[in-house]
Amino acid sequence: MLATAIDEARRGLDEGGIPIGAALFTRVGELLGAGHNRRVQEDDASVHAETDAFRRAGRRRDYRDTVMVTTLSPCWYCSGLVRQFNIGAVVIGEAVNFVGGHEWLADLGVEVIVLDDPTCVQLLGTFIHDHADLWNEDIGE
């Protein structure tokens, strides 16, 4: 599942955007939707990877049996999305370059798995080094 999110992150980087990817799956591994951070590409501050994947997944009556897989610890905005729609689990590629609201989600009963995957750490770490101003804009600093 993480491979799908990493592919999305790379796609975003290739498009000139921020390399963060996400995908929403069912608990049995069925892909519902995948997306990536498109803030730069769409000139829209609200198009984070998790929101893009969520929107592409389409409407469901219940999200408790879904898993959001993301290359990076979700920011507070994306953590709010997980909370608002009661997404049952979040798999995080890395929380080295940025720590968002995943501990808050865990405290609320969301299953949270942090992998600290070296590919995810390197992909975003290199981007942050090379594009610090754009990264700081993305995280609201």
Side-chain angles (χ1 to χ4, degrees):
M1 289 194 264
L2 184 60
T4 301
I6 291 171
D7 287 346
E8 286 290 332
R10 287 184 174 134
R11 183 172 294 128
L13 183 62
D14 290 345
E15 293 171 357
I18 299 164
I20 303 170
L24 188 66
F25 291 89
T26 65
R27 288 273 186 173
V28 296
E30 175 191 355
L31 176 63
L32 300 171
H36 53 274
N37 186 302
R38 296 174 192 266
R39 294 181 75 250
V40 173
Q41 298 92 312
E42 295 188 11
D43 195 29
D44 181 346
S46 71
V47 189
H48 288 206
E50 297 87 345
T51 60
D52 192 38
F54 183 78
R55 289 172 180 161
R56 292 172 186 278
R59 185 173 152 225
R60 295 175 61 90
R61 181 170 179 82
D62 188 355
Y63 293 88
R64 290 184 197 279
D65 69 337
T66 63
V67 179
M68 179 66 75
V69 180
T70 179
T71 58
L72 183 66
S73 175
C75 69
W76 287 104
Y77 170 59
C78 295
S79 294
L81 178 137
V82 170
R83 174 68 175 117
Q84 174 68 31
F85 292 96
N86 296 311
I87 292 172
V90 179
V91 175
I92 298 166
E94 68 112 335
V96 173
N97 287 299
F98 177 79
V99 177
H102 70 264
E103 291 177 0
W104 173 70
L105 290 171
D107 289 345
L108 293 171
V110 176
E111 180 183 359
V112 174
I113 300 167
V114 180
L115 302 173
D116 284 336
D117 177 79
T119 299
C120 293
V121 173
Q122 184 277 327
L123 185 62
L124 187 59
T126 299
F127 179 85
I128 291 170
H129 179 267
D130 295 345
H131 305 282
D133 287 346
L134 184 55
W135 170 248
N136 287 334
E137 175 189 324
D138 191 64
I139 60 171
E141 288 188 11

